[in-house]
Amino acid sequence: MSDAWNERIRLIRFRRKHERTRFREELRIIPKWLVWTCIIAWLIAIAIACPINFYNVQHHGDYFPAPDLANQPLLATLALAGAITGGTFVFSCFLFVLGYVYRDAKRRGMNPALWTLLVLLMAGPYTFIGLIVYLLIRDPLPYTCPQCSATVSARFNFCPNCKYNLHRACAHCQREVSDTDKFCPYCAAELTPPKSQSAPTAADSPS
Protein backbone atom coordinates (compact mmCIF):
# COMPACT_ATOMS: atom_id res chain seq x y z
CA MET A 1 0.00 0.00 0.00
CA SER A 2 2.81 2.39 0.87
CA ASP A 3 4.64 1.58 -2.37
CA ALA A 4 1.52 2.39 -4.39
CA TRP A 5 1.09 5.67 -2.51
CA ASN A 6 4.74 6.62 -3.04
CA GLU A 7 4.40 5.86 -6.74
CA ARG A 8 1.31 8.07 -6.91
CA ILE A 9 3.09 10.94 -5.18
CA ARG A 10 6.04 10.57 -7.56
CA LEU A 11 3.74 10.75 -10.55
CA ILE A 12 2.01 13.84 -9.16
CA ARG A 13 5.40 15.53 -8.70
CA PHE A 14 6.36 14.48 -12.21
CA ARG A 15 3.19 16.03 -13.62
CA ARG A 16 3.71 19.31 -11.82
CA LYS A 17 7.33 19.45 -12.97
CA HIS A 18 6.95 18.46 -16.61
CA GLU A 19 3.42 19.40 -17.67
CA ARG A 20 2.93 23.01 -18.70
CA THR A 21 -0.61 22.89 -20.00
CA ARG A 22 -2.75 25.99 -20.44
CA PHE A 23 -6.45 26.27 -19.76
CA ARG A 24 -7.15 27.21 -23.38
CA GLU A 25 -5.27 24.17 -24.62
CA GLU A 26 -7.16 21.92 -22.24
CA LEU A 27 -10.49 23.23 -23.53
CA ARG A 28 -9.55 22.20 -27.04
CA ILE A 29 -9.77 18.50 -26.21
CA ILE A 30 -13.52 18.82 -25.53
CA PRO A 31 -15.22 17.17 -28.54
CA LYS A 32 -16.37 19.82 -31.02
CA TRP A 33 -19.43 17.78 -31.90
CA LEU A 34 -20.52 18.02 -28.27
CA VAL A 35 -20.08 21.81 -28.26
CA TRP A 36 -22.10 22.22 -31.44
CA THR A 37 -24.79 19.85 -30.15
CA CYS A 38 -25.28 22.04 -27.08
CA ILE A 39 -25.38 25.22 -29.19
CA ILE A 40 -27.93 23.75 -31.60
CA ALA A 41 -30.07 22.47 -28.72
CA TRP A 42 -30.01 25.95 -27.15
CA LEU A 43 -31.05 27.60 -30.44
CA ILE A 44 -33.89 25.11 -30.93
CA ALA A 45 -35.15 25.67 -27.38
CA ILE A 46 -35.10 29.45 -27.87
CA ALA A 47 -36.78 29.22 -31.27
CA ILE A 48 -39.62 27.05 -29.93
CA ALA A 49 -40.21 28.36 -26.41
CA CYS A 50 -39.93 32.13 -26.94
CA PRO A 51 -42.58 32.49 -29.68
CA ILE A 52 -44.97 30.27 -27.71
CA ASN A 53 -44.39 32.32 -24.55
CA PHE A 54 -44.89 35.58 -26.47
CA TYR A 55 -48.16 34.29 -27.93
CA ASN A 56 -49.48 33.11 -24.55
CA VAL A 57 -48.76 36.48 -22.90
CA GLN A 58 -50.78 38.30 -25.56
CA HIS A 59 -53.67 35.83 -25.42
CA HIS A 60 -53.74 35.38 -21.62
CA GLY A 61 -52.47 31.81 -21.64
CA ASP A 62 -49.88 30.17 -19.46
CA TYR A 63 -46.55 31.94 -19.78
CA PHE A 64 -43.24 32.54 -18.00
CA PRO A 65 -42.79 34.24 -15.57
CA ALA A 66 -46.42 34.45 -14.53
CA PRO A 67 -48.03 36.70 -13.43
CA ASP A 68 -45.35 39.42 -13.09
CA LEU A 69 -45.17 40.50 -16.74
CA ALA A 70 -48.78 40.09 -17.82
CA ASN A 71 -48.79 43.23 -19.96
CA GLN A 72 -45.19 43.07 -21.16
CA PRO A 73 -44.83 40.18 -23.60
CA LEU A 74 -41.37 41.27 -24.78
CA LEU A 75 -39.91 41.31 -21.27
CA ALA A 76 -41.58 38.00 -20.48
CA THR A 77 -40.02 36.47 -23.59
CA LEU A 78 -36.59 37.88 -22.71
CA ALA A 79 -36.94 36.47 -19.18
CA LEU A 80 -37.73 33.04 -20.61
CA ALA A 81 -34.79 33.29 -23.01
CA GLY A 82 -32.50 34.14 -20.08
CA ALA A 83 -33.78 31.19 -18.05
CA ILE A 84 -33.27 28.83 -20.99
CA THR A 85 -29.78 30.21 -21.59
CA GLY A 86 -28.80 29.82 -17.93
CA GLY A 87 -30.11 26.28 -17.69
CA THR A 88 -28.51 25.28 -20.98
CA PHE A 89 -25.19 26.76 -19.89
CA VAL A 90 -25.10 24.77 -16.63
CA PHE A 91 -26.12 21.53 -18.32
CA SER A 92 -23.64 22.11 -21.16
CA CYS A 93 -20.80 22.68 -18.69
CA PHE A 94 -21.61 19.34 -17.10
CA LEU A 95 -21.53 17.62 -20.49
CA PHE A 96 -18.26 19.39 -21.34
CA VAL A 97 -16.76 18.04 -18.11
CA LEU A 98 -17.72 14.50 -19.07
CA GLY A 99 -16.32 14.99 -22.58
CA TYR A 100 -13.10 16.43 -21.20
CA VAL A 101 -12.60 13.60 -18.71
CA TYR A 102 -13.16 10.98 -21.41
CA ARG A 103 -10.70 12.55 -23.86
CA ASP A 104 -8.11 13.41 -21.19
CA ALA A 105 -8.20 9.95 -19.59
CA LYS A 106 -7.80 8.36 -23.02
CA ARG A 107 -4.71 10.39 -23.91
CA ARG A 108 -3.15 9.60 -20.50
CA GLY A 109 -3.55 5.84 -20.94
CA MET A 110 -6.27 5.55 -18.29
CA ASN A 111 -9.66 3.87 -18.63
CA PRO A 112 -11.81 6.64 -20.19
CA ALA A 113 -15.19 4.93 -19.79
CA LEU A 114 -14.58 4.05 -16.14
CA TRP A 115 -13.45 7.54 -15.15
CA THR A 116 -16.26 9.23 -17.06
CA LEU A 117 -18.77 6.98 -15.30
CA LEU A 118 -17.18 7.75 -11.93
CA VAL A 119 -17.40 11.51 -12.50
CA LEU A 120 -21.01 11.10 -13.66
CA LEU A 121 -22.05 9.08 -10.60
CA MET A 122 -20.36 11.44 -8.14
CA ALA A 123 -21.94 14.47 -9.80
CA GLY A 124 -25.35 13.62 -8.35
CA PRO A 125 -24.81 14.27 -4.64
CA TYR A 126 -21.46 16.09 -4.84
CA THR A 127 -21.67 18.21 -8.05
CA PHE A 128 -18.10 18.50 -9.44
CA ILE A 129 -16.28 16.57 -6.70
CA GLY A 130 -15.71 13.72 -9.17
CA LEU A 131 -13.84 16.09 -11.50
CA ILE A 132 -11.71 17.37 -8.62
CA VAL A 133 -10.79 13.81 -7.60
CA TYR A 134 -9.90 12.97 -11.19
CA LEU A 135 -7.68 16.04 -11.61
CA LEU A 136 -5.82 15.22 -8.39
CA ILE A 137 -5.01 11.58 -9.09
CA ARG A 138 -4.86 11.35 -12.91
CA ASP A 139 -1.70 9.99 -14.50
CA PRO A 140 0.79 12.35 -16.15
CA LEU A 141 0.77 12.75 -19.90
CA PRO A 142 3.14 10.60 -21.96
CA TYR A 143 6.19 12.55 -23.08
CA THR A 144 9.11 12.21 -25.48
CA CYS A 145 12.42 10.61 -24.50
CA PRO A 146 15.15 13.29 -24.32
CA GLN A 147 17.51 11.05 -26.27
CA CYS A 148 15.57 9.24 -28.99
CA SER A 149 12.28 11.26 -28.97
CA ALA A 150 10.19 8.12 -28.57
CA THR A 151 6.89 8.49 -26.69
CA VAL A 152 7.20 7.01 -23.20
CA SER A 153 4.93 6.69 -20.21
CA ALA A 154 5.59 8.69 -17.06
CA ARG A 155 5.67 5.39 -15.16
CA PHE A 156 8.76 4.20 -17.05
CA ASN A 157 12.18 4.50 -15.41
CA PHE A 158 14.04 3.78 -18.65
CA CYS A 159 13.14 4.38 -22.25
CA PRO A 160 12.14 1.04 -23.85
CA ASN A 161 13.63 2.20 -27.14
CA CYS A 162 17.14 3.35 -26.14
CA LYS A 163 17.46 2.51 -22.39
CA TYR A 164 17.87 6.19 -21.49
CA ASN A 165 17.50 6.86 -17.74
CA LEU A 166 14.28 8.87 -17.59
CA HIS A 167 14.47 9.69 -13.86
CA ARG A 168 17.85 11.12 -12.95
CA ALA A 169 18.68 10.67 -9.25
CA CYS A 170 21.27 12.08 -6.86
CA ALA A 171 24.06 9.59 -6.17
CA HIS A 172 24.29 10.77 -2.54
CA CYS A 173 20.69 10.83 -1.30
CA GLN A 174 18.99 8.91 -4.14
CA ARG A 175 16.33 11.61 -4.53
CA GLU A 176 14.98 12.35 -7.97
CA VAL A 177 16.45 15.48 -9.58
CA SER A 178 15.95 17.37 -12.82
CA ASP A 179 18.20 16.96 -15.86
CA THR A 180 19.12 20.65 -15.64
CA ASP A 181 20.16 20.60 -11.95
CA LYS A 182 23.87 21.03 -11.24
CA PHE A 183 23.49 20.47 -7.49
CA CYS A 184 21.02 18.29 -5.62
CA PRO A 185 18.21 20.47 -4.22
CA TYR A 186 17.86 18.08 -1.23
CA CYS A 187 21.45 17.50 -0.02
CA ALA A 188 23.46 20.03 -2.09
CA ALA A 189 25.68 17.32 -3.54
CA GLU A 190 27.28 18.09 -6.88
CA LEU A 191 25.59 16.23 -9.71
CA THR A 192 27.35 14.73 -12.67
CA PRO A 193 25.85 15.76 -16.00
CA PRO A 194 23.68 13.09 -17.59
CA LYS A 195 25.70 10.94 -19.92
CA SER A 196 24.60 10.59 -23.48
CA GLN A 197 23.38 7.06 -23.95
CA SER A 198 23.12 5.60 -27.41
CA ALA A 199 21.18 2.63 -28.60
CA PRO A 200 23.27 -0.48 -29.39
CA THR A 201 24.18 -0.90 -33.03
CA ALA A 202 24.58 -4.00 -35.09
CA ALA A 203 28.38 -3.73 -34.84
CA ASP A 204 28.19 -3.83 -31.03
CA SER A 205 26.02 -6.91 -30.88
CA PRO A 206 27.74 -10.28 -30.46
CA SER A 207 28.12 -12.27 -33.62
Side-chain angles (χ1 to χ4, degrees):
M1 190 68 181
S2 60
D3 293 340
W5 175 253
N6 291 334
E7 174 66 11
R8 174 58 56 184
I9 296 299
R10 188 186 71 80
L11 290 175
I12 291 176
R13 291 201 310 267
F14 182 91
R15 182 175 71 242
R16 292 174 179 173
K17 182 171 61 175
H18 290 268
E19 290 187 18
R20 295 293 184 270
T21 56
R22 297 181 179 179
F23 182 72
R24 181 180 299 179
E25 296 174 352
E26 293 295 291
L27 289 179
R28 291 178 181 175
I29 72 173
I30 298 176
K32 292 184 178 180
W33 66 265
L34 181 60
V35 176
W36 282 109
T37 299
C38 293
I39 293 176
I40 293 174
W42 170 72
L43 292 175
I44 293 175
I46 292 292
I48 294 176
C50 289
I52 294 176
N53 196 63
F54 187 86
Y55 177 86
N56 289 340
V57 172
Q58 289 184 320
H59 295 79
H60 307 288
D62 295 332
Y63 60 89
F64 178 90
D68 301 331
L69 302 175
N71 299 320
Q72 303 182 50
L74 182 59
L75 290 179
T77 302
L78 290 177
L80 177 60
I84 293 175
T85 301
T88 304
F89 177 78
V90 174
F91 185 70
S92 298
C93 287
F94 178 70
L95 293 180
F96 294 161
V97 165
L98 296 181
Y100 172 81
V101 170
Y102 184 89
R103 284 284 186 87
D104 188 62
K106 188 175 182 180
R107 68 174 180 169
R108 294 174 186 271
M110 304 168 67
N111 190 322
L114 179 62
W115 277 104
T116 304
L117 180 61
L118 178 64
V119 173
L120 176 63
L121 294 177
M122 297 185 68
Y126 304 111
T127 315
F128 290 111
I129 190 65
L131 175 63
I132 296 175
V133 171
Y134 169 76
L135 294 177
L136 289 176
I137 66 175
R138 62 181 177 174
D139 290 344
L141 285 170
Y143 64 105
T144 57
C145 172
Q147 179 165 278
C148 67
S149 299
T151 301
V152 294
S153 171
R155 294 182 179 274
F156 294 170
N157 292 323
F158 294 89
C159 175
N161 186 56
C162 66
K163 296 197 298 184
Y164 181 80
N165 187 357
L166 299 172
H167 301 293
R168 187 183 176 205
C170 172
H172 183 261
C173 67
Q174 302 302 319
R175 302 284 292 272
E176 185 178 341
V177 296
S178 174
D179 289 340
T180 57
D181 291 339
K182 296 181 179 180
F183 297 92
C184 177
Y186 305 103
C187 67
E190 185 175 1
L191 302 174
T192 57
K195 298 180 180 179
S196 177
Q197 305 177 30
S198 58
T201 60
D204 298 331
S205 59
S207 56

